């Protein structure tokens, strides 16, 4: 695989990253995952805006984001993924610093790593839905930053895999936040309800597209706090993410949604989301 590392396209196994990189030492960096549907990156500008936000919050400067689309297109070409559904990954760390100190040295320059990987939509989970568990949100309170420090997400996702569920949906102080790698929405009496944007969740790009589709479809939607107790009253649930797209949830912990099958509003949004991908490609 050809990847990009600090200005060069290299075979990924030839890339050497310093053990004194602050990403390796402290998880001091940010990342993005973008989706490539032949032949265009989906919502690329929105992902870059979020990356700029993450970097600004981490006070990492001097990164030339303007070149990233070009680099990704070149990666797609070099890896012959032109006609394949894929993801693009970008990781930016604060850079290499020796001796190891918590306080960042202001003169170091960021490390940039990017690669692309083939990833097909999961037809089975999209059609039949998934089961998810519930858990206490054990993360810090700046979940609006797409930081590479993902230990809480990893431990919780490992718990999900061990339990045989697709995802864990977290709550903080009794209110739903999001999943380990997904945003979450519910449907109640045909109203789409999702937690509001604040520092407890990531401002998902898929979530943003879903809310725009709700407007287009004249589906009522609310961004508001959802208590764990309220879950029993919901008719439908779905997950939203770049990799998961719109994935129906048929069971969350002990609450089986009324039908025990993907809900009809969820499936309508899923269908419109696929149409939107095609529209997006033509723009
Ligand atoms: N996850 N919340 C968290 C904690 C995430 O890690 C992600 C993305 C999302 C959804 O954001 P978006 O729609 O912009 O992808 C929410 C990775 C990239 C994924 O699994 O797709």
């Amino acid at each position: 695989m050809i990847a990009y590392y600090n200005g060069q396209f290299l075979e990924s196994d030839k890339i050497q990253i310093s053990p004194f990189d602050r990403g390796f030492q402290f998880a001091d960096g940010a990342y993005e995952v973008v989706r490539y549907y032949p032949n265009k990156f989906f919502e690329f500008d929105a992902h870059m805006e979020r990356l700029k936000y993450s970097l600004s919050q981490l006070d990492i400067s001097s990164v030339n984001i303007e070149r990233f689309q070009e680099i990704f297109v070149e990666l797609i070409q070099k890896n012959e993924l032109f006609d394949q559904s894929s993801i693009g990954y970008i990781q930016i760390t604060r850079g290499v610093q020796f001796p190891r100190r918590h306080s960042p040295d202001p003169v170091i320059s960021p490390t940039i790593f990017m690669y692309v990987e083939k990833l097909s939509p999961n037809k089975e989970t999209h059609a039949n839905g998934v089961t998810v568990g519930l858990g206490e949100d054990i993360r810090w309170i700046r979940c609006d930053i797409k930081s590479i420090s993902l230990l809480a997400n990893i431990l919780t996702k490992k718990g999900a895999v061990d339990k045989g569920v697709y995802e864990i949906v977290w709550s903080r102080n009794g209110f739903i936040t999001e999943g380990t790698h997904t945003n979450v929405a519910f449907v109640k009496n045909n109203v789409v309800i999702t937690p509001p944007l604040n520092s407890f969740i990531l401002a998902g790009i898929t979530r943003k597209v879903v809310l725009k589709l709700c407007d287009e479809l004249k589906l009522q939607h609310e961004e508001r706090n959802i208590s764990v107790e309220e879950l029993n009253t919901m008719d439908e649930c779905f997950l939203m993410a770049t990799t998961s797209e719109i994935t129906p949830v048929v069971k969350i912990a002990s609450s089986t949604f009324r039908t025990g099958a993907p809900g009809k509003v969820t499936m309508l949004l899923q269908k419109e989301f696929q149409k939107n991908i095609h529209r997006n490609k033509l723009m």
Side-chain angles (χ1 to χ4, degrees), residues 5-6 16-26 28 60 92-101 103-112:
Y5 170 64
N6 283 352
Q16 292 183 326
I17 297 180
S18 166
F20 294 102
D21 192 287
R22 292 183 63 91
F24 183 65
Q25 295 276 346
F26 297 108
D28 184 359
I60 295 179
I92 299 170
T93 74
R94 200 179 300 277
V96 178
Q97 181 174 345
F98 182 84
R100 179 187 182 278
R101 295 289 180 271
S103 74
D105 180 342
V107 304
I108 58 174
S109 45
T111 301
I112 303 175

Side-chain angles (χ1 to χ4, degrees), residues 31-35 46-47 50 87-89 119 139 143 145-147 150 153 166-167 170 177-184 200-209 240-245 273:
Y31 78 108
E32 268 300 323
V33 179
V34 297
R35 189 88 189 219
H47 281 279
R50 188 171 64 189
I87 53 159
Y89 179 85
L119 185 98
R139 296 174 298 168
C143 308
I145 302 171
K146 205 160 167 59
S147 146
L150 289 169
N153 308 57
Y166 181 83
E167 176 66 302
W170 279 313
T177 54
E178 61 181 341
T180 66
H181 62 300
T182 55
N183 288 116
V184 63
F200 300 136
I201 69 167
L202 185 75
I205 309 300
T206 317
R207 176 190 179 281
K208 176 185 78 90
V209 172
M240 302 167 279
T242 297
T243 49
S244 301
E245 299 175 330
F273 188 81

